[in-house]
C-alpha cells in the first residue's frame, strides 16, 4: 500500500520498495456506496428551552425563522421529542433539503443565543453519532495535554555553511536528494530519499522550503535534515507556485476538488474548485477559485480555440500585498492578501486584456509620494481602436501611462528585476500581414512622466529577450521566418544592447553587437548580472553555449567606446542534449543538464564556472531535474558590500589557501584509502591462498591438481620457456623459368 | 602496438578464448564456423566446420588437445584441436550457451537454454583423452555425468572454481549461484547484480579463487569463489557483455556497448563501443581502447597478460599486444608497496 498522505512519515519515504498498486480511486469514487448519505441533511439542535408539549409548536415556529435564514426546511422536518412528563427534552432534530444547507446551518447557528438564557448548540447528526456515541466520551473531564514546546529546525541553517556552499536538489529515477555543491568534486549528500515526490520538486523563492508534489497534495520540507514542515492536501495537484516572500502558496489541479466528508482541512467551499491559495504559516486555505482557461494564440476560423492553462494563474505583487488574476479579454481581479477580498469590491474591467505583469519590485516613480504597486497590461487591436499597453497603479487602480500600438500580432511584457524598466516586445506584421518584425518599446519607469524609448533596429522577430538582473543591459535573440517544412530551425542572431554612457546618467539603448548565423535560442543571465550564457536548448542538432562577459576588463573595441559595456566571449561549451541551464544563486557556477523528461539521450548534468570552465560532468541515469536552492537577499548594506568588493583580493588569498589546504587533505585521504584498500586486497589474497592449500591437502590432491591432464600435445615445460616464439615461414617465388637440358 | 584485426567471421562474434599457453586464439560467431588463430601475428591456423547453427561458446582443454563448442543447433561438439576433426557430438534439447573445461580438463560443463518447455540446465560431461598420444579421442561418455536444473531463473553463464570443487553460475535474474560440482546441490545464491539484469559473462582469475561478472546493469563485480562475497564493483555507463581479469597487472577489462536494438533509441553520437580498463583493486577507470564499431560481445586476455583480444558485434576480433607503458603504469601506492 502506498502510504496515505495523512500518515506519510519519513520512514515511508525511506522504504526502498513501495509497491505500485493499480489506482482504483477513480472507480471507487464512482461506485463508492455512501452509507450514511441520507443523514447528511440532518442537524441536531441542543440548548433549547424545555417547554410543555402544548407550547412545542410555538417554539418550533419560532425556531424555524432562524433555521430558514440559512437554508430550507419546514415544520414537518423539525422533530422535537417529548418525554413521559409531556415536556420537551431541550433538543430537536431538523432535516434540511441539502447537505450543504445543513453544513451552513451548523456554521452559522452554532453558538447563537436564542434568548437571554438559551444558546443554541448546533451539530450535524452524523457528528453526534461519530463523536458523541456512548463510550466514546469519557465521563470525567481531562484537560488536554499541551505538548511541550519543541524547537523547530532552523529553516535557514544552510546559509551558515562555513564555506558558503550552495545546495541543490537532484531528482533522478524515483529518488530525490539534496546535496552540497563541492565545485569539481563529488557533491556531498545531505539527504537522499526514494519516492520523495511524484511529479517534481520545487524550492520556495527564498530557499526555506522544498516542495514535493503527491497525488494527495503538496508537502513542504525544510531544516537541516529536511523534516516535514507543512502539508497542503490538494488532491491531484499538478502545479504549485509560491508568493515572492514565501507567505502564500497557490496550487492548481485540472480536476475540480471533490470535498469528502471528514476532510480535516478542506471544507465545502473548496468543492468544485481548481485553484487554492494557501497560507503557508497556518497550512489553511485562504480562498479557492475555479480556473479560467486561456485560448492559446490566435485561432484560425472555425477552429475550436485551444484551451491552455493560465499559469501562474495568480500573480503576486512584489510585496505580497496584492494578488491578481486576469479573465482573458475582460478584466483583471485584484485581491488583497491575506483577507483575499476583491480590492474595491470589483474587478478592473479592461476590454480585450491579453496579459499583465506586476513590477517585480516596489518602484518609486518620480514625483509620486504615496505607496503604490505597478502592473503592466496590454490589449490587442479591436475594431478601429489601436492596441494598447497600459500601466496601472495599485491600490488606486488608476491607469498612469498608456501607449498605443499599431499592426500588432503579439506583445510580451518584460520587467527589469528592480522595476526600473519595462520592455514591451511588440511583434508587428506588415500591412499585408505577411512579414513580421519586432519593436522593443522600453518604458523608463523611474523617470519623470515615464518616457518611452523605441528600439526598432531589429529586422526580424525577437524570439527571446532578457534583462540583466539589477542592470540596464539586455540580450535579444532574433530569427528570420521559418521555412515551412524545413527540417532545420532557421539560424538566429544574438544582439547585445547597452545604454550609452553620458556622464553619470545612462543614455538611450544602443546595439553593441550582433552575432549572426547562430543557433542559440535561450538567454541565461547570472543572477548577479554582468555574465550571461547564451545557449541552445531543446534542439536536436546543436548544443553550444556561449559564456559572455559584459564588463570585460580589457581593451575595448574602438567602435564601442560609448557604451556602458565591454563585451567579451569567454568560452563556448557544448553539452550534448542540453535541456536546462541554471545559474547558482551566487552567480559562481552554471549547471547544464539534459533531462529525461525531454529525451532519453545521455541524461545527466555538468557543472561549469561562470566563465565556461567545465568543472565536472555527471552522467546520470534517468536524470530528471536539477534545482539550485535559492538564497534570500543579502543582509549586508550597500556600503558593506562595497567594502567586501574592495577587499576582494585579500579575501581571495585567504580562500585560495583554504582551497589548497582542502585539496591537500583530500589527496592525503585518497592516498590513505588506497593504501588501506590495497593492503586489504593483499591480505585477502594471502588468506585465500592458505584456504586453497588447506583444501588441497584435505582432498589429498597433489600440488598440481589444477594442471592439465597430460596428453601428447601438452607442453608443461612451456611455462619455463617463457614466451613462445612463433616463426613465420614465408615462401615467395621470385622467378620461375624452364630450362631445357639437351 | 598496432592492433591486429582478425576478419575471419561474417557475423557477430560470440566468444573468444586463448589457450593456456596463449599462442592460440579461438573464436566463435553466429556464422557457424570456429576459427583458430596464432595470437602472435593474427594468422589463421584453420577452421572447425560442422555446426549447423550460430555458435555461442567455445573452450579449449588445458592441454590444448580438445576443443569444445556449444551451438544454437542444440549440440556440443568436441574437436581435435590439431587435426580439426569433430570427435564427438552430444545432442541437447535446446541451444547450448556456454561450455567450459574444468581446471584439470577432466570434465566439461555445458549450460543449456530454457526453451520450448525445457528448463535451463547445466550438464557436466566426463572427458577422456584417449591414449594420451592424441589417438582414440572419440571414446567419450555418451550421457552427462550430472545435470543441474535451474528452476527459478535460467543460468546464462557458468564456470569452474579452483580444484573443480564448485560450479559458479550467473543467472538471467542477475543472481550468482554456487553449486557443488559433485552432487549438483546449490550451496549459495546471491543477488549480485540488479534484479532482472542478466549476467552476460563470468571469467576467473588464474588461480580461480575469484571471478568477475559482467551484467546488463552496467556494472561488473569481482566476487570470491569460496563464499560469493562481492569484493569489488566496477561501474560503467553502458550495459556490459564481457569482463576479464588481467594477469601480471592488477587490471580488469570490460566490454559492452549499447545493445544493437537500442542504438537507434539512444545517442547515435557514441555507442560506447570501447574496451574499458579498470584498476582491479581501486575500481578506477584507467583507460579505454576504441576500434570496434559495434558493441563488444566478448573480451579475453592472454594467460601471460601480454595481450588481450576483443570480439564485437561488428564481426571483427581485435588483438592488442600491450606496450611498455601498460606494464610500467603503477599507482604511487603500488610503487611504494613494491619497494618494501
Amino acid at each position: 500500500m502506498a502510504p496515505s498522505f495523512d500518515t506519510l512519515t519519513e520512514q515511508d519515504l525511506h522504504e526502498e520498495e513501495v509497491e505500485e498498486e493499480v489506482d482504483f480511486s477513480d472507480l471507487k469514487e464512482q461506485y463508492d456506496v455512501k452509507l450514511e448519505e441520507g443523514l447528511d441533511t440532518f442537524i441536531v439542535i441542543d440548548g433549547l428551552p424545555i417547554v410543555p408539549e402544548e407550547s412545542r409548536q410555538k417554539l418550533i415556529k419560532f425556531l424555524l425563522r432562524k433555521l430558514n435564514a440559512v437554508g430550507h426546511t419546514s415544520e414537518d422536518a423539525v422533530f422535537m421529542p417529548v418525554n413521559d412528563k409531556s415536556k420537551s427534552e431541550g433538543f430537536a432534530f431538523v432535516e434540511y433539503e441539502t447537505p450543504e444547507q445543513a453544513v451552513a446551518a451548523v456554521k452559522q447557528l452554532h453558538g447563537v443565543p436564542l434568548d437571554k438564557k438559551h444558546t443554541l448548540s448546533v451539530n450535524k447528526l452524523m457528528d453526534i453519532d461519530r463523536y458523541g456515541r456512548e463510550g466514546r466520551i469519557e465521563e470525567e473531564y481531562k484537560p488536554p495535554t499541551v505538548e511541550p514546546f519543541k524547537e523547530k529546525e532552523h529553516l535557514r541553517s544552510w546559509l551558515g555553511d562555513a564555506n558558503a556552499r550552495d545546495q541543490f536538489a537532484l531528482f533522478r529515477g524515483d529518488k530525490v536528494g539534496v546535496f552540497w555543491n563541492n565545485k569539481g568534486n563529488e557533491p556531498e549528500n545531505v539527504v537522499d530519499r526514494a519516492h520523495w515526490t511524484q511529479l517534481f520538486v520545487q524550492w520556495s523563492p527564498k530557499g526555506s522550503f522544498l516542495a514535493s508534489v503527491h497525488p494527495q497534495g503538496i508537502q513542504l520540507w525544510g531544516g537541516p535534515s529536511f523534516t516535514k514542515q507543512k502539508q497542503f492536501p490538494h488532491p491531484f495537484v499538478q502545479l504549485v507556485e509560491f508568493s515572492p516572500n514565501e507567505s502564500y502558496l497557490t496550487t492548481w489541479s485540472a480536476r475540480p476538488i471533490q470535498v469528502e466528508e471528514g476532510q480535516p482541512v478542506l471544507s465545502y467551499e473548496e468543492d468544485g474548485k481548481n485553484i487554492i491559495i494557501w497560507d503557508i504559516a497556518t497550512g489553511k486555505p485562504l480562498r479557492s477559485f475555479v480556473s479560467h482557461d486561456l485560448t492559446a494564440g490566435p485561432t484560425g476560423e472555425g477552429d475550436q480555440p485551444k484551451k491552455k492553462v493560465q499559469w501562474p494563474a495568480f500573480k503576486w505583487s512584489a510585496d505580497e500585498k496584492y494578488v491578481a488574476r486576469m479573465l482573458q479579454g475582460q478584466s483583471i481581479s485584484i485581491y488583497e492578501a491575506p483577507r483575499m477580498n476583491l480590492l474595491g469590491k470589483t474587478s478592473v474591467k479592461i476590454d480585450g486584456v491579453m496579459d499583465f505583469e506586476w513590477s517585480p519590485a516596489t518602484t518609486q516613480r518620480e514625483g509620486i509620494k504615496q505607496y503604490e504597486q505597478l502592473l503592466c497590461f496590454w490589449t490587442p487591436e479591436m475594431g478601429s481602436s489601436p492596441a494598447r499597453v497600459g500601466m496601472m497603479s495599485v491600490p488606486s487602480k488608476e491607469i498612469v501611462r498608456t501607449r498605443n500600438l499599431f499592426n500588432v500580432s503579439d506583445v510580451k511584457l518584460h520587467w527589469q528585476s528592480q522595476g526600473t524598466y519595462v520592455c514591451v516586445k511588440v511583434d508587428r506584421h506588415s500591412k499585408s500581414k505577411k512579414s513580421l518584425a519586432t519593436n522593443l518599446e522600453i518604458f523608463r519607469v523611474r523617470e519623470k512622466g515615464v518616457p518611452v524609448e523605441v528600439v526598432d533596429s531589429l529586422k526580424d522577430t525577437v524570439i527571446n529577450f532578457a534583462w540583466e538582473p539589477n542592470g540596464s543591459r539586455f540580450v535579444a535573440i532574433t530569427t528570420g521566418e521559418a521555412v515551412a517544412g524545413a527540417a532545420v530551425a532557421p539560424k538566429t542572431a544574438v544582439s547585445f544592447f547597452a545604454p550609452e554612457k553620458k556622464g553619470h546618467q545612462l543614455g538611450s539603448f544602443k546595439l553593441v553587437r550582433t552575432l549572426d548565423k547562430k543557433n542559440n535560442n535561450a538567454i541565461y543571465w547570472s543572477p548577479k548580472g554582468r555574465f550571461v550564457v547564451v545557449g541552445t536548448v531543446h534542439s536536436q542538432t546543436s548544443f553550444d553555449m556561449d559564456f559572455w562577459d559584459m564588463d570585460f576588463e580589457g581593451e575595448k573595441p574602438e567602435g564601442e567606446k560609448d557604451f556602458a559595456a565591454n563585451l567579451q566571449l569567454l568560452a563556448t561549451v557544448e553539452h550534448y542534449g542540453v535541456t536546462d541551464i541554471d545559474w547558482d544563486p551566487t552567480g559562481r557556477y552554471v549547471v547544464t543538464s539534459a533531462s529525461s523528461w525531454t529525451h532519453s539521450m545521455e541524461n545527466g548534468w555538468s557543472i561549469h564556472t561562470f566563465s565556461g570552465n567545465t568543472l565536472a560532468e555527471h552522467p546520470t541515469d534517468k536524470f530528471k531535474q536539477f534545482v539550485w536552492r535559492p538564497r534570500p537577499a543579502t543582509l549586508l548594506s550597500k556600503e558593506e558590500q562595497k567594502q567586501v568588493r574592495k577587499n576582494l583580493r585579500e579575501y581571495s588569498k585567504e580562500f585560495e589557501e583554504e582551497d589548497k589546504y582542502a585539496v591537500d587533505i583530500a589527496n592525503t585521504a585518497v592516498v590513505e584509502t588506497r593504501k588501506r584498500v590495497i593492503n586489504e586486497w593483499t591480505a585477502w589474497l594471502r588468506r585465500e591462498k592458505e584456504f586453497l592449500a588447506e583444501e588441497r591437502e584435505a582432498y589429498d590432491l597433489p600440488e598440481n591438481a589444477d594442471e592439465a591432464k597430460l596428453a601428447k600435445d601438452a607442453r608443461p615445460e612451456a611455462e619455463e620457456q617463457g614466451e613462445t616464439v612463433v616463426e613465420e615461414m614465408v615462401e615467395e617465388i621470385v622467378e620461375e623459368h624452364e630450362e631445357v637440358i639437351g | 602496438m598496432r592492433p591486429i584485426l582478425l576478419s575471419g567471421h561474417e557475423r557477430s562474434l560470440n566468444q573468444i578464448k586463448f589457450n593456456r599457453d596463449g599462442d592460440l586464439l579461438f573464436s566463435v560467431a553466429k556464422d557457424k564456423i570456429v576459427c583458430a588463430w596464432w595470437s602472435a601475428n593474427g594468422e589463421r591456423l584453420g577452421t572447425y566446420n560442422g555446426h549447423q547453427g550460430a555458435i555461442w561458446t567455445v573452450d579449449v582443454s588445458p592441454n590444448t588437445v580438445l576443443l569444445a563448442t556449444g551451438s544454437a543447433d542444440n549440440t556440443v561438439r568436441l574437436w581435435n584441436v590439431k587435426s580439426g576433426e569433430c570427435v564427438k557430438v552430444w545432442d541437447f534439447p535446446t541451444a547450448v550457451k556456454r561450455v567450459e573445461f574444468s581446471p584439470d580438463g577432466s570434465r566439461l560443463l555445458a549450460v543449456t537454454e530454457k526453451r520450448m518447455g525445457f528448463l535451463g540446465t547445466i550438464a557436466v560431461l566426463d572427458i577422456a583423452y584417449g591414449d594420451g598420444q592424441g589417438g582414440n579421442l572419440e571414446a567419450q561418455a555418451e550421457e552427462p555425468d550430472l545435470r543441474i536444473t535451474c528452476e527459478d531463473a535460467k543460468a546464462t553463464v557458468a564456470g569452474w572454481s579452483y580444484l573443480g570443487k564448485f560450479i559458479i553460475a550467473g543467472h538471467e535474474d542477475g543472481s550468482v549461484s554456487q553449486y557443488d560440482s559433485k552432487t549438483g546441490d546449490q550451496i549459495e545464491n546471491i543477488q549480485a547484480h540488479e534484479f532482472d539484469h542478466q549476467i552476460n559473462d563470468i571469467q576467473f582469475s588464474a588461480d580461480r579463487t575469484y571471478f568477475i561478472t559482467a551484467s546488463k546493469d552496467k556494472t561488473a563485480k569481482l566476487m570470491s569463489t569460496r563464499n560469493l562475497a562481492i569484493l569489488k564493483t566496477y561501474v560503467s555507463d553502458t550495459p556490459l557483455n564481457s569482463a576479464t581479469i588481467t594477469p601480471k597487472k592488477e587490471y580488469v577489462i570490460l566490454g559492452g556497448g549499447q545493445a544493437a536494438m537500442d542504438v537507434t533509441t539512444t545517442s547515435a553520437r557514441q555507442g560506447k563501443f570501447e574496451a574499458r580498463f579498470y584498476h582491479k583493486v581501486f575500481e578506477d577507470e584507467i583507460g579505454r581502447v576504441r576500434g570496434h564499431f559495434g558493441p563488444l560481445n566478448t573480451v579475453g586476455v592472454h594467460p601471460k597478460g601480454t595481450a588481450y583480444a576483443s570480439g564485437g558485434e561488428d564481426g571483427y576480433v581485435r588483438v592488442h599486444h600491450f606496450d611498455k607503458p601498460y606494464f610500467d603504469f603503477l599507482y604511487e601506492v603500488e610503487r611504494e608497496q613494491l619497494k618494501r
Side-chain angles (χ1 to χ4, degrees), chain B residues 239-308:
Chain B
L240 295 176
N241 294 330
S242 187
T244 188
I245 302 164
T246 62
K248 221 162 233 170
K249 296 298 290 181
E250 304 269 31
Y251 304 144
V252 296
I253 308 173
L254 316 182
Q258 300 294 346
M261 59 182 291
D262 294 334
V263 166
T264 47
T265 60
T266 53
S267 160
R269 211 165 53 106
Q270 57 186 102
K272 295 158 182 167
F273 308 138
E274 295 136 335
R276 294 131 193 276
F277 285 69
Y278 284 70
H279 195 282
K280 184 169 73 187
V281 182
F282 302 136
E283 306 171 319
D284 295 337
E285 187 176 327
I286 297 171
R288 294 186 185 188
V289 177
R290 282 202 271 182
H292 281 286
F293 48 89
L296 274 71
N297 288 341
T298 171
V299 289
V301 67
H302 192 289
K304 296 204 169 55
T306 57
Y308 89 96

Side-chain angles (χ1 to χ4, degrees), chain A residues 101 108 145 159 228 237 248 264 472 519 541 648:
Chain A
Q101 288 175 9
Q108 291 175 39
T145 45
L159 294 171
K228 196 154 57 179
V237 59
Y248 310 104
S472 50
N519 294 308
T541 47
L648 212 52

Side-chain angles (χ1 to χ4, degrees), chain B residues 38 74 90 115 126 136 144 149 187 238 240 248 262 314:
Chain B
W38 291 110
N74 301 354
W90 283 283
R115 190 158 292 157
D126 278 330
N136 198 23
T149 309
I187 301 166
T238 182
L240 295 176
K248 221 162 233 170
D262 294 334
D314 56 7

Side-chain angles (χ1 to χ4, degrees), chain B residues 4-299:
Chain B
I4 305 165
L5 191 65
L6 312 183
S7 43
H9 288 286
E10 291 176 344
R11 298 275 318 268
S12 60
L13 269 292
N14 282 326
Q15 201 179 10
I16 53 172
K17 250 321 175 359
F18 282 92
N19 67 343
R20 196 177 273 202
D21 294 334
D23 58 337
L24 293 180
L25 176 68
F26 299 92
S27 64
V28 292
K30 281 192 183 157
D31 61 4
K32 307 174 192 174
I33 297 168
V34 190
C35 289
W37 315 79
W38 291 110
S39 67
N41 58 6
E43 195 180 323
R44 184 153 76 174
L45 187 62
T47 59
Y48 303 83
N49 302 327
H51 270 299
Q52 306 291 313
I55 307 173
W56 291 114
T57 172
V58 62
D59 195 27
V60 57
S61 69
N63 54 15
T64 322
V65 170
L66 291 171
L67 184 76
T69 53
S71 157
D73 64 7
N74 301 354
T75 63
V76 168
R77 281 167 197 255
L78 210 54
W79 313 81
N80 183 334
V81 173
K82 209 171 172 186
S83 66
E85 291 163 323
C86 177
V87 295
K88 180 73 194 166
V89 180
W90 283 283
D91 279 302
F92 286 91
T94 57
V96 179
K97 296 303 284 257
R98 183 59 69 120
V99 292
E100 192 172 291
F101 283 100
S102 65
D104 63 355
S106 65
R107 290 191 286 171
L108 177 76
L109 67 79
V111 178
T112 65
E113 182 67 275
K114 172 185 176 180
R115 190 158 292 157
M116 297 181 297
F118 293 99
L119 286 171
T121 65
I122 303 170
V124 179
L125 300 148
D126 278 330
I127 300 295
Y129 289 85
D131 55 9
Q133 306 293 314
N136 198 23
L137 291 170
E138 291 81 0
Q140 301 291 352
E142 283 301 323
E143 285 301 314
D145 173 43
L146 178 69
R147 255 186 225 276
I148 301 167
T149 309
C150 305
E151 305 271 351
D152 300 334
K154 73 174 186 204
T156 49
V157 288
W160 296 89
S161 77
Y162 52 88
L163 309 173
K165 191 177 169 196
F166 309 120
I167 290 173
I168 307 289
H171 296 270
E172 190 184 30
D173 65 352
S175 67
V176 174
S177 34
Q178 187 189 46
Y179 297 95
D180 187 310
S181 72
K182 290 271 180 326
T183 63
D185 296 336
Q186 191 180 72
I187 301 166
E188 196 129 29
N189 179 281
I190 282 183
Q191 189 70 43
H193 287 273
E194 254 176 69
F195 183 71
D196 251 9
H197 286 72
Q198 178 171 319
I199 294 179
N200 287 321
D201 197 11
I202 280 189
Q203 293 196 29
F204 285 81
S205 68
D207 64 359
R208 293 188 175 260
T209 53
Y210 57 95
F211 59 90
I212 190 166
T213 60
S215 160
K216 220 177 130 189
D217 73 357
K218 305 186 179 181
T219 64
K221 303 213 174 190
L222 206 66
M223 298 173 75
S224 157
T225 311
R226 195 165 47 82
N227 55 9
L228 299 188
I230 296 171
L231 305 170
K232 303 282 172 193
T233 301
Y234 311 98
V235 182
S236 80
D237 57 355
T238 182
L240 295 176
N241 294 330
S242 187
T244 188
I245 302 164
T246 62
K248 221 162 233 170
K249 296 298 290 181
E250 304 269 31
Y251 304 144
V252 296
I253 308 173
L254 316 182
Q258 300 294 346
M261 59 182 291
D262 294 334
V263 166
T264 47
T265 60
T266 53
S267 160
R269 211 165 53 106
Q270 57 186 102
K272 295 158 182 167
F273 308 138
E274 295 136 335
R276 294 131 193 276
F277 285 69
Y278 284 70
H279 195 282
K280 184 169 73 187
V281 182
F282 302 136
E283 306 171 319
D284 295 337
E285 187 176 327
I286 297 171
R288 294 186 185 188
V289 177
R290 282 202 271 182
H292 281 286
F293 48 89
L296 274 71
N297 288 341
T298 171
V299 289

Side-chain angles (χ1 to χ4, degrees), chain A residues 602 688 692 695 706 709 712, chain B residues 63 103 132 162 165 226 267:
Chain A
E602 289 182 38
E688 212 58 26
L692 191 57
E695 265 177 69
D706 272 357
K709 285 259 186 299
K712 196 192 160 224
Chain B
N63 54 15
Y162 52 88
K165 191 177 169 196
R226 195 165 47 82
S267 160

